[in-house]
Amino acid sequence: MSEIVEVPPAGERLGAVYPVMRELRTDLSEEEFRARYEAGHPLGYRLAALFEGGECRAAAGYRLFTNFVSGLHMYVDDLVTGERWRSQGYGRALNDYLVDLARREGCTSVQLDSNVRRTKAHRFYFRERYFISSFHFVRILEGSA
């Protein structure tokens, strides 16, 4: 039976989440993963993970915050199912958890960005009733790390 848990920055299960999250964030070493989570946690970043048989199968990083565009909403920074467990309902279960949490917290929406090349992920999001609402623009700052 699967369980979804909130994993704190110093939690015992964080090491089990890293291999799954690394499938989405391939550039992050485990050290950088832990450092970014520790830095982001005081600002509201959270990790939820789906475990089955003691093994992490899917993970999601999210934040609840308010802005002028959307009011209080959940922003999902990361949502990934381990490759060998895809198409088994783990992503849907974790997404349902996030949507239910957002509702309980009084959010008006759940939002995320997805790389334009991730067409399989897009099919998943469309099935889960997400829609494309805007373009996301990025400006790389010269000389930044």
Side-chain angles (χ1 to χ4, degrees), residues 21-54:
M21 189 67 81
R22 189 171 190 283
E23 290 187 28
L24 182 63
R25 306 290 175 216
T26 57
D27 61 321
L28 288 182
S29 66
E30 186 169 358
E31 181 181 354
E32 185 64 20
F33 166 74
R34 289 176 179 274
R36 286 188 187 183
Y37 187 24
E38 189 172 320
H41 195 264
L43 303 172
Y45 182 84
R46 300 292 182 264
L47 275 176
L50 186 147
F51 285 84
E52 188 166 290

Side-chain angles (χ1 to χ4, degrees), residues 103-120:
R103 281 191 180 113
R104 287 193 313 272
E105 293 292 331
C107 294
T108 59
S109 62
V110 177
Q111 301 179 25
L112 56 86
D113 289 327
S114 181
N115 187 290
V116 296
R117 293 181 284 288
R118 296 189 68 230
T119 56
K120 289 180 182 177

